[in-house]
Amino acid sequence: MPRWPAVIAMVGLFAASCTADQGDATEADESFRAPVPPDVDLDIHSVPLSEIVFDTFDGGSVALPESTPELRVELLDAIPPIDQPVYGGVEDGDWLDGDDLVLGYVAGGEAYAYPVKILNFHEIVSDEIDGVPVLVSYCPLCRSAIVYDRRVDEDTLTFSNTSALHESDMVMVDRQTGSYWWQVRGTAIVGPLTDTELRTLPSEMATWQDWTDRYPDSQVLTRDTGFDRNYERDSFATYSEFLDSGEFAFPVGDEARNDDRLLPSELVVTVQLDGGVVAYPVERLDGPVDDVIGDITIRVVPHDGGANVVEVEPDGSAGPALPARTSFWFAAVAAFPDVILGP
């Protein structure tokens, strides 16, 4: 039987970098605080409400059905999103080590790097890049690094962090409808937008050294976030060992927990196309791998820290970048139970 209270208390060692060690909110914190969304409509949902669990950041947890509107507001954005990102040149990343991870995004001929050491503290960055409203999302408990288009039909959504987890993954809330969103899947799971999916955009994980070697003119998210945080600390550096010992920070379903094709913390790049969902274990790739999903030939190109995915042109050359999700294996299985492993 899962020892959730003990396990959740243990994860406080990791979450401390995002909450307890931050001290009191600074004046800048207050000025950057996001608006409160409508309260979630619990009558509309696609997953059991009991499987959504709030982290109270004191070693405890509260399932959504037992939470109150007051508690939901209290926990909202305890890990604050960045709504006003400030970028600099590569020189503004000189505080990063070469093997530090970044979430990379390229659009309109510009490259952008989001250091994981910053994302650990914020998890959500909203911006508009090359005319597209983007949601840069990252959950340390899943190492799930995904960029989404924030547009749904004619509306552009903005997002906050509920402090809740589903399948041990961040649950976001849009400030327009109060719907709850499962970060890895990119799907609303509670509220009026339930079953709505965000469009995934091409992105990749990489080491800082690898990213700047390939994109020497990259923009980088700076530590000028409006919040006072110790961004040089990475409390999740050893988290994979915690997972592979059979422990999870928050409840995870049997399919993800018991899938032994890979270790829970193996990093995979998952590609979702009309032909199915395929995951590629990053560290097991010796070089570029071509594969076919449906009627599309893709190429997975590994590099230090991650991999990028492109469509293969008829002449065999690399084509446009394809949407992909980077995450731990258990999170990919939780989001896509029918996922298969690529060659």
Side-chain angles (χ1 to χ4, degrees), residues 35-105:
V36 175
D39 195 24
V40 63
D41 183 348
L42 300 181
D43 291 331
I44 310 170
H45 54 93
S46 60
V47 303
L49 296 180
S50 60
E51 293 181 0
I52 300 172
V53 178
F54 287 92
D55 185 353
T56 55
F57 300 106
D58 58 3
S61 65
V62 176
L64 178 56
E66 282 71 57
S67 67
T68 63
E70 293 76 18
L71 179 65
R72 294 194 285 270
V73 170
E74 178 185 338
L75 293 175
L76 181 72
D77 289 335
I79 299 174
I82 297 175
D83 290 331
Q84 302 172 46
V86 176
Y87 302 97
V90 168
E91 65 278 4
D92 290 290
D94 60 4
W95 61 281
L96 295 167
D97 294 329
D99 59 356
D100 283 341
L101 293 173
V102 299
L103 168 52
Y105 178 67

Coordinates of all heavy atoms in Angstrom, one line a residue, residues 35-105:
P35 N -3.6 37.7 -11.2 CA -5.0 37.7 -10.8 C -5.5 36.3 -10.4 O -5.0 35.3 -10.9 CB -5.7 38.2 -12.0 CG -4.7 38.4 -13.1 CD -3.4 38.0 -12.6
V36 N -6.5 36.3 -9.6 CA -7.1 35.1 -9.1 C -8.2 34.6 -10.1 O -9.1 35.4 -10.5 CB -7.8 35.2 -7.7 CG1 -8.5 34.0 -7.3 CG2 -6.7 35.6 -6.7
P37 N -8.1 33.4 -10.6 CA -9.1 32.9 -11.6 C -10.4 32.6 -10.9 O -10.5 32.5 -9.7 CB -8.5 31.7 -12.2 CG -7.6 31.2 -11.1 CD -7.1 32.4 -10.4
P38 N -11.5 32.4 -11.7 CA -12.7 31.9 -11.1 C -12.5 30.5 -10.4 O -11.6 29.8 -10.8 CB -13.7 31.7 -12.3 CG -13.1 32.5 -13.4 CD -11.6 32.5 -13.2
D39 N -13.3 30.3 -9.4 CA -13.1 29.0 -8.7 C -13.5 27.9 -9.7 O -14.4 28.0 -10.5 CB -13.9 28.9 -7.4 CG -13.5 27.8 -6.5 OD1 -12.4 27.3 -6.6 OD2 -14.4 27.3 -5.7
V40 N -12.9 26.7 -9.5 CA -13.1 25.6 -10.5 C -14.5 25.0 -10.3 O -15.0 24.9 -9.2 CB -12.0 24.5 -10.2 CG1 -12.1 23.9 -8.8 CG2 -12.1 23.5 -11.3
D41 N -15.1 24.6 -11.4 CA -16.4 24.0 -11.4 C -16.2 22.5 -11.2 O -15.8 21.8 -12.2 CB -17.2 24.3 -12.7 CG -18.6 23.7 -12.7 OD1 -18.9 22.9 -11.8 OD2 -19.3 24.1 -13.6
L42 N -16.4 21.9 -10.1 CA -16.1 20.5 -9.8 C -17.2 19.6 -10.4 O -17.0 18.4 -10.3 CB -16.1 20.3 -8.3 CG -15.0 21.1 -7.5 CD1 -15.0 20.8 -6.1 CD2 -13.6 20.8 -8.1
D43 N -18.2 20.1 -11.0 CA -19.3 19.2 -11.5 C -18.9 18.7 -12.9 O -19.5 17.8 -13.4 CB -20.6 20.0 -11.6 CG -21.2 20.3 -10.3 OD1 -21.0 19.5 -9.4 OD2 -21.9 21.3 -10.2
I44 N -17.8 19.3 -13.5 CA -17.4 18.9 -14.8 C -15.9 18.4 -14.7 O -15.0 19.2 -14.4 CB -17.4 20.1 -15.8 CG1 -18.8 20.7 -15.8 CG2 -17.1 19.6 -17.3 CD1 -18.9 22.1 -16.6
H45 N -15.7 17.1 -15.1 CA -14.3 16.6 -15.0 C -14.2 15.3 -15.8 O -15.2 14.6 -16.0 CB -13.9 16.4 -13.5 CG -14.9 15.5 -12.7 ND1 -14.7 14.1 -12.6 CD2 -16.0 15.8 -12.1 CE1 -15.7 13.6 -11.9 NE2 -16.5 14.6 -11.6
S46 N -13.0 15.0 -16.2 CA -12.7 13.9 -17.0 C -11.9 12.8 -16.2 O -11.6 11.7 -16.8 CB -12.0 14.2 -18.3 OG -10.8 14.9 -18.0
V47 N -11.4 13.2 -15.1 CA -10.6 12.2 -14.2 C -11.3 12.3 -12.8 O -12.0 13.2 -12.5 CB -9.1 12.6 -14.1 CG1 -8.5 12.7 -15.5 CG2 -9.0 13.9 -13.4
P48 N -11.1 11.2 -12.0 CA -11.7 11.2 -10.7 C -11.1 12.4 -9.9 O -9.9 12.5 -9.8 CB -11.3 9.9 -10.1 CG -11.1 9.0 -11.3 CD -10.5 9.9 -12.4
L49 N -12.0 13.2 -9.3 CA -11.5 14.3 -8.5 C -10.5 13.9 -7.4 O -9.6 14.7 -7.0 CB -12.7 15.1 -8.0 CG -13.6 15.7 -9.0 CD1 -14.7 16.5 -8.3 CD2 -12.9 16.7 -9.9
S50 N -10.7 12.7 -6.8 CA -9.9 12.3 -5.7 C -8.4 12.1 -6.2 O -7.5 12.0 -5.3 CB -10.4 11.0 -5.1 OG -10.5 10.0 -6.1
E51 N -8.2 12.0 -7.5 CA -6.8 11.7 -8.0 C -6.1 13.1 -8.2 O -4.9 13.0 -8.6 CB -6.9 11.0 -9.3 CG -7.4 9.6 -9.2 CD -7.4 8.8 -10.5 OE1 -7.0 9.4 -11.5 OE2 -7.9 7.6 -10.5
I52 N -6.7 14.2 -7.9 CA -6.0 15.5 -7.9 C -5.8 15.9 -6.5 O -6.7 16.0 -5.7 CB -6.9 16.5 -8.7 CG1 -7.2 16.0 -10.1 CG2 -6.3 17.9 -8.7 CD1 -8.2 16.9 -10.9
V53 N -4.5 16.1 -6.2 CA -4.1 16.3 -4.8 C -3.3 17.5 -4.6 O -2.3 17.8 -5.4 CB -3.2 15.0 -4.3 CG1 -2.7 15.2 -2.9 CG2 -4.0 13.8 -4.4
F54 N -3.7 18.4 -3.7 CA -2.9 19.6 -3.4 C -1.7 19.3 -2.5 O -1.9 18.7 -1.5 CB -3.8 20.7 -2.8 CG -4.8 21.3 -3.7 CD1 -6.1 20.7 -3.8 CD2 -4.5 22.4 -4.4 CE1 -7.1 21.3 -4.6 CE2 -5.5 22.9 -5.3 CZ -6.7 22.4 -5.4
D55 N -0.6 19.9 -2.9 CA 0.6 20.0 -2.0 C 0.4 21.2 -1.1 O 0.3 22.3 -1.6 CB 1.8 20.1 -2.8 CG 3.1 20.0 -2.0 OD1 3.0 20.0 -0.8 OD2 4.2 20.0 -2.6
T56 N 0.4 20.9 0.2 CA 0.2 22.1 1.2 C 1.6 22.6 1.6 O 1.6 23.5 2.4 CB -0.6 21.6 2.4 OG1 0.0 20.5 3.0 CG2 -2.0 21.3 2.0
F57 N 2.7 22.0 1.1 CA 4.0 22.5 1.3 C 4.4 22.5 2.8 O 5.3 23.2 3.2 CB 4.2 23.9 0.7 CG 4.0 24.0 -0.8 CD1 2.8 24.5 -1.3 CD2 4.9 23.4 -1.6 CE1 2.5 24.6 -2.6 CE2 4.6 23.5 -3.0 CZ 3.5 24.0 -3.5
D58 N 3.8 21.7 3.6 CA 4.2 21.5 4.9 C 4.3 20.0 5.3 O 4.2 19.6 6.4 CB 3.1 22.2 5.9 CG 1.7 21.6 5.7 OD1 1.5 20.7 4.9 OD2 0.8 22.1 6.4
G59 N 4.5 19.2 4.2 CA 4.6 17.7 4.4 C 3.2 17.1 4.3 O 3.2 15.8 4.5
G60 N 2.2 17.8 4.0 CA 0.8 17.3 3.9 C 0.2 17.4 2.5 O 0.9 18.0 1.6
S61 N -1.0 16.9 2.4 CA -1.7 17.1 1.1 C -3.2 17.0 1.4 O -3.6 16.6 2.4 CB -1.3 15.9 0.2 OG -1.7 14.7 0.7
V62 N -3.9 17.6 0.4 CA -5.4 17.6 0.5 C -5.9 17.2 -0.9 O -5.6 17.9 -1.9 CB -5.9 19.0 0.9 CG1 -7.4 19.0 0.9 CG2 -5.4 19.3 2.3
A63 N -6.8 16.2 -1.0 CA -7.4 15.9 -2.2 C -8.4 16.9 -2.6 O -9.0 17.6 -1.8 CB -8.1 14.5 -2.1
L64 N -8.6 17.1 -3.9 CA -9.5 18.2 -4.4 C -10.9 18.1 -3.8 O -11.4 19.2 -3.4 CB -9.5 18.1 -6.0 CG -10.5 19.1 -6.6 CD1 -10.1 20.6 -6.3 CD2 -10.4 18.9 -8.2
P65 N -11.5 17.0 -3.7 CA -12.9 17.0 -3.1 C -12.9 17.5 -1.7 O -14.0 17.9 -1.2 CB -13.3 15.5 -3.2 CG -12.5 14.9 -4.3 CD -11.2 15.6 -4.2
E66 N -11.8 17.3 -0.9 CA -11.8 17.8 0.4 C -11.3 19.2 0.6 O -11.3 19.8 1.7 CB -10.9 16.9 1.3 CG -11.5 15.5 1.7 CD -11.7 14.6 0.5 OE1 -10.7 14.3 -0.1 OE2 -12.8 14.2 0.2
S67 N -10.9 19.8 -0.5 CA -10.4 21.2 -0.4 C -11.5 22.2 -0.4 O -12.7 21.9 -0.7 CB -9.5 21.5 -1.7 OG -10.3 21.5 -2.8
T68 N -11.2 23.4 0.1 CA -12.2 24.5 0.2 C -11.8 25.6 -0.8 O -10.6 25.7 -1.2 CB -12.3 25.1 1.6 OG1 -11.0 25.7 1.9 CG2 -12.6 24.0 2.6
P69 N -12.8 26.4 -1.2 CA -12.4 27.6 -2.1 C -11.3 28.4 -1.4 O -10.4 28.9 -2.1 CB -13.7 28.3 -2.2 CG -14.8 27.3 -2.0 CD -14.2 26.3 -1.0
E70 N -11.3 28.6 -0.1 CA -10.3 29.4 0.6 C -9.0 28.8 0.5 O -8.0 29.4 0.2 CB -10.7 29.6 2.0 CG -12.0 30.4 2.3 CD -13.3 29.6 2.0 OE1 -13.2 28.4 1.9 OE2 -14.3 30.3 1.8
L71 N -8.9 27.4 0.6 CA -7.6 26.7 0.5 C -7.1 26.8 -0.9 O -5.9 27.0 -1.1 CB -7.7 25.3 1.0 CG -6.4 24.5 0.9 CD1 -5.4 25.0 1.8 CD2 -6.7 23.0 1.1
R72 N -7.9 26.7 -1.9 CA -7.5 26.8 -3.3 C -6.9 28.1 -3.6 O -5.9 28.2 -4.3 CB -8.7 26.4 -4.2 CG -9.1 25.0 -4.0 CD -10.0 24.5 -5.2 NE -11.4 25.0 -5.1 CZ -12.4 24.4 -4.4 NH1 -12.2 23.3 -3.8 NH2 -13.6 25.0 -4.5
V73 N -7.5 29.2 -3.0 CA -7.0 30.5 -3.3 C -5.6 30.7 -2.5 O -4.7 31.2 -3.0 CB -8.0 31.6 -2.8 CG1 -7.3 33.0 -2.8 CG2 -9.2 31.6 -3.7
E74 N -5.6 30.1 -1.3 CA -4.3 30.2 -0.5 C -3.2 29.6 -1.2 O -2.0 30.1 -1.2 CB -4.6 29.6 0.9 CG -3.3 29.6 1.8 CD -3.6 28.8 3.1 OE1 -4.7 28.7 3.5 OE2 -2.6 28.4 3.7
L75 N -3.4 28.4 -1.9 CA -2.3 27.7 -2.5 C -2.1 28.1 -3.9 O -1.0 27.7 -4.5 CB -2.7 26.2 -2.5 CG -2.7 25.5 -1.1 CD1 -3.2 24.1 -1.2 CD2 -1.4 25.6 -0.4
L76 N -2.9 28.9 -4.5 CA -2.8 29.4 -5.9 C -1.4 30.1 -6.0 O -1.1 31.0 -5.3 CB -3.9 30.3 -6.2 CG -3.9 30.9 -7.7 CD1 -4.2 29.8 -8.7 CD2 -4.9 32.0 -7.8
D77 N -0.6 29.7 -7.0 CA 0.6 30.3 -7.3 C 1.6 30.4 -6.1 O 2.4 31.3 -6.0 CB 0.4 31.7 -7.9 CG -0.2 31.7 -9.3 OD1 0.0 30.7 -10.0 OD2 -0.8 32.7 -9.7
A78 N 1.5 29.4 -5.2 CA 2.6 29.3 -4.2 C 3.9 29.1 -4.9 O 4.9 29.6 -4.4 CB 2.3 28.1 -3.3
I79 N 3.9 28.5 -6.1 CA 5.0 28.5 -7.0 C 4.6 29.5 -8.1 O 3.8 29.1 -9.0 CB 5.3 27.1 -7.6 CG1 5.7 26.2 -6.4 CG2 6.5 27.2 -8.6 CD1 5.9 24.7 -6.8
P80 N 5.1 30.7 -8.1 CA 4.6 31.8 -8.9 C 5.0 31.7 -10.4 O 6.2 31.5 -10.7 CB 5.1 33.0 -8.2 CG 6.4 32.6 -7.6 CD 6.2 31.2 -7.2
P81 N 4.1 31.9 -11.3 CA 4.4 31.9 -12.7 C 5.1 33.2 -13.1 O 5.1 34.2 -12.3 CB 3.1 31.8 -13.4 CG 2.1 32.4 -12.4 CD 2.6 32.0 -11.1
I82 N 5.8 33.2 -14.2 CA 6.4 34.4 -14.8 C 5.5 34.9 -15.9 O 5.4 34.2 -16.9 CB 7.8 34.1 -15.2 CG1 8.7 33.7 -14.0 CG2 8.4 35.3 -15.9 CD1 10.1 33.3 -14.5
D83 N 4.9 36.0 -15.7 CA 4.1 36.6 -16.8 C 4.8 37.7 -17.5 O 4.3 38.1 -18.6 CB 2.8 37.2 -16.2 CG 1.8 36.1 -15.7 OD1 1.9 35.0 -16.2 OD2 1.1 36.4 -14.7
Q84 N 5.9 38.1 -17.0 CA 6.7 39.2 -17.7 C 8.1 38.8 -17.8 O 9.0 39.4 -17.1 CB 6.5 40.5 -16.8 CG 5.1 41.0 -16.6 CD 5.0 42.1 -15.7 OE1 5.7 43.1 -15.7 NE2 4.0 42.0 -14.7
P85 N 8.4 37.8 -18.7 CA 9.8 37.3 -18.8 C 10.7 38.4 -19.3 O 10.3 39.2 -20.2 CB 9.6 36.2 -19.7 CG 8.4 36.4 -20.5 CD 7.5 37.2 -19.6
V86 N 11.9 38.4 -18.8 CA 13.0 39.3 -19.3 C 14.1 38.4 -19.8 O 14.6 37.5 -19.1 CB 13.5 40.2 -18.1 CG1 14.7 41.1 -18.6 CG2 12.4 41.1 -17.6
Y87 N 14.5 38.7 -21.0 CA 15.5 37.9 -21.7 C 16.8 38.8 -21.9 O 16.8 40.0 -21.9 CB 15.1 37.5 -23.1 CG 13.8 36.7 -23.1 CD1 12.6 37.3 -23.4 CD2 13.8 35.3 -22.9 CE1 11.4 36.5 -23.4 CE2 12.7 34.6 -22.9 CZ 11.5 35.2 -23.1 OH 10.3 34.4 -23.2
G88 N 17.9 38.0 -22.0 CA 19.2 38.7 -22.2 C 19.9 37.8 -23.2 O 19.5 36.8 -23.7
G89 N 21.1 38.2 -23.6 CA 22.0 37.5 -24.5 C 22.7 36.3 -23.7 O 22.5 36.1 -22.5
V90 N 23.5 35.5 -24.5 CA 24.1 34.4 -23.9 C 25.0 34.8 -22.7 O 25.1 34.1 -21.7 CB 25.0 33.7 -24.9 CG1 25.9 32.7 -24.3 CG2 24.1 33.0 -26.0
E91 N 25.5 36.0 -22.7 CA 26.3 36.5 -21.6 C 25.5 36.6 -20.3 O 26.1 36.5 -19.2 CB 27.0 37.8 -21.9 CG 26.0 39.0 -22.1 CD 25.4 39.1 -23.5 OE1 25.6 38.1 -24.3 OE2 24.6 40.0 -23.7
D92 N 24.2 36.7 -20.4 CA 23.4 36.8 -19.2 C 23.2 35.4 -18.6 O 22.6 35.2 -17.5 CB 22.0 37.4 -19.5 CG 22.2 38.9 -19.8 OD1 22.5 39.6 -18.8 OD2 22.0 39.3 -20.9
G93 N 23.7 34.3 -19.3 CA 23.6 33.0 -18.7 C 24.9 32.5 -18.2 O 25.2 31.3 -18.0
D94 N 25.8 33.5 -17.9 CA 27.2 33.1 -17.5 C 27.2 32.5 -16.1 O 28.2 32.0 -15.6 CB 28.2 34.3 -17.6 CG 27.7 35.5 -16.7 OD1 26.7 35.4 -16.0 OD2 28.4 36.5 -16.8
W95 N 26.1 32.6 -15.4 CA 26.0 32.0 -14.0 C 25.7 30.5 -14.1 O 25.8 29.8 -13.1 CB 24.9 32.7 -13.2 CG 23.5 32.6 -13.8 CD1 23.0 33.4 -14.8 CD2 22.5 31.7 -13.5 NE1 21.7 33.0 -15.1 CE2 21.4 32.0 -14.3 CE3 22.4 30.7 -12.5 CZ2 20.2 31.3 -14.2 CZ3 21.2 30.0 -12.4 CH2 20.1 30.3 -13.3
L96 N 25.3 30.0 -15.3 CA 25.0 28.6 -15.5 C 26.2 27.8 -15.8 O 27.2 28.3 -16.5 CB 24.0 28.5 -16.7 CG 22.6 29.1 -16.5 CD1 21.9 29.2 -17.9 CD2 21.8 28.3 -15.5
D97 N 26.2 26.6 -15.3 CA 27.3 25.6 -15.7 C 27.0 25.0 -17.0 O 25.8 25.0 -17.5 CB 27.4 24.5 -14.6 CG 27.9 25.0 -13.3 OD1 28.6 26.0 -13.3 OD2 27.5 24.4 -12.3
G98 N 28.0 24.5 -17.7 CA 27.7 24.0 -19.1 C 26.8 22.8 -19.1 O 26.1 22.6 -20.1
D99 N 26.7 22.0 -18.0 CA 25.8 20.9 -18.0 C 24.5 21.1 -17.4 O 23.6 20.2 -17.2 CB 26.5 19.7 -17.3 CG 26.9 19.9 -15.9 OD1 26.7 21.1 -15.4 OD2 27.3 19.0 -15.2
D100 N 24.2 22.4 -17.0 CA 22.9 22.8 -16.5 C 21.9 22.6 -17.7 O 22.2 23.0 -18.8 CB 22.9 24.2 -16.0 CG 23.5 24.3 -14.6 OD1 23.6 23.3 -13.9 OD2 23.8 25.4 -14.2
L101 N 20.7 22.2 -17.4 CA 19.7 22.0 -18.4 C 18.9 23.2 -18.7 O 18.6 24.0 -17.8 CB 18.7 20.8 -17.9 CG 19.3 19.4 -17.9 CD1 18.3 18.5 -17.3 CD2 19.7 19.0 -19.2
V102 N 18.5 23.4 -20.0 CA 17.6 24.4 -20.4 C 16.5 23.8 -21.2 O 16.7 22.8 -21.9 CB 18.3 25.5 -21.2 CG1 19.4 26.2 -20.3 CG2 18.9 25.0 -22.5
L103 N 15.3 24.4 -21.2 CA 14.3 24.1 -22.1 C 14.4 25.1 -23.3 O 14.4 26.3 -23.1 CB 12.9 24.3 -21.5 CG 11.6 24.3 -22.4 CD1 11.6 23.1 -23.3 CD2 10.4 24.4 -21.5
G104 N 14.6 24.5 -24.5 CA 14.9 25.4 -25.7 C 13.7 25.5 -26.6 O 13.0 24.5 -26.8
Y105 N 13.5 26.7 -27.2 CA 12.4 26.9 -28.1 C 12.9 27.8 -29.2 O 13.6 28.8 -28.9 CB 11.2 27.6 -27.3 CG 10.0 27.9 -28.2 CD1 9.3 26.9 -28.8 CD2 9.7 29.3 -28.4 CE1 8.2 27.3 -29.6 CE2 8.6 29.6 -29.2 CZ 7.8 28.6 -29.8 OH 6.7 28.9 -30.6

